[in-house]
Amino acid sequence: MSVQERKERERAHRHRLIIATARELAESHGWDAVTTRRLAERIEYSQPVLYSHFRGKREIVGAVALEGFTELTTTIRRAVADGPAGRAAVAALAGAYVDFAERNPALYDAMFLLDTGLPFADAATPAPLREAFEALLDTLGDVAGDAEPALFVEVFWSALHGLVALTRSGRLPPSEAPRRLDLLVERLAGR
């Protein structure tokens, strides 16, 4: 292995370490606890080394969000992989989405609530975001009826996100979450 290859491998390792450490801190203590100073201490590198990978916290949050979209895509595809169709597929997708958000609150925040600088619904949208949308479209497009499939996905996704956000913030009682999800699936995809 050449010196250059070794340096590139070490740089890639540091990059992954920064992202993993930021995610760990955020899941344990919230995103306010994720600072470049604290990250540098945790990964045992100087802040200038951290800044050689990311310009700041916003880019770190964006990198975490990209990982999250990849994981969400895998979660959604796995939920419908066994071949449920129609309403059953939508219910499996919706349940997997809500479960993902509940299991990964800081990751979900990075993906949907925090400023990451990542463009959505744009020519420059990164592949993990497009792939997550396509995973939703692959299942929900089948039940869109007369509606434009992409528009239907946006509305369904917005409703799922709203249920997650309002339940997490305590504005909707968690005890009714399963019934709300069933109602959403029934009304928007009740075939």
Side-chain angles (χ1 to χ4, degrees):
M1 173 183 306
S2 73
V3 172
Q4 182 63 30
E5 288 172 330
R6 182 181 53 78
K7 285 182 179 184
E8 287 174 12
R9 188 180 71 215
E10 289 171 357
R11 181 171 174 71
H13 171 74
R14 275 194 313 270
H15 191 85
R16 287 189 307 272
L17 180 62
I18 293 166
I19 295 168
T21 304
R23 187 171 168 179
E24 267 177 38
L25 273 171
E27 291 293 356
S28 298
H29 305 290
W31 279 105
D32 288 341
V34 179
T35 63
T36 53
R37 182 178 184 186
R38 186 173 281 161
L39 280 173
E41 289 171 3
R42 288 269 175 113
I43 65 172
E44 298 178 343
Y45 285 98
S46 67
Q47 282 183 304
V49 168
L50 194 134
Y51 282 115
S52 75
H53 289 269
F54 299 98
R55 286 184 292 223
K57 182 176 176 178
R58 181 182 186 209
E59 281 190 8
I60 294 167
V61 175
V64 170
L66 288 174
E67 274 191 0
F69 281 105
T70 298
E71 292 174 23
L72 178 61
T73 300
T74 300
T75 298
I76 290 169
R77 293 207 185 280
R78 190 176 298 137
V80 297
D82 292 335
R87 186 180 189 283
V90 175
L93 180 150
Y97 182 97
V98 169
D99 184 59
F100 177 87
E102 289 173 352
R103 285 184 293 107
N104 306 285
L107 179 61
Y108 190 84
D109 288 350
M111 294 165 65
F112 296 111
L113 301 176
L114 300 177
D115 179 16
T116 61
L118 298 173
F120 282 74
D122 184 91
T125 300
L129 280 70
R130 285 193 316 271
E131 290 162 6
F133 189 80
E134 288 168 12
L136 294 169
L137 187 59
D138 288 347
T139 298
L140 297 173
D142 292 341
V143 296
D146 295 338
E148 178 186 332
L151 187 62
F152 181 82
V153 169
E154 290 173 353
V155 170
F156 193 86
W157 177 23
S158 298
L160 278 176
H161 174 71
L163 288 175
V164 166
L166 291 169
T167 302
R168 275 187 54 201
S169 67
R171 286 164 175 82
L172 294 176
S175 60
E176 293 295 323
R179 289 184 56 209
R180 282 188 209 96
L181 197 57
D182 286 345
L183 182 61
L184 173 67
V185 169
E186 178 184 317
R187 296 298 179 180
L188 286 181
R191 292 188 160 82

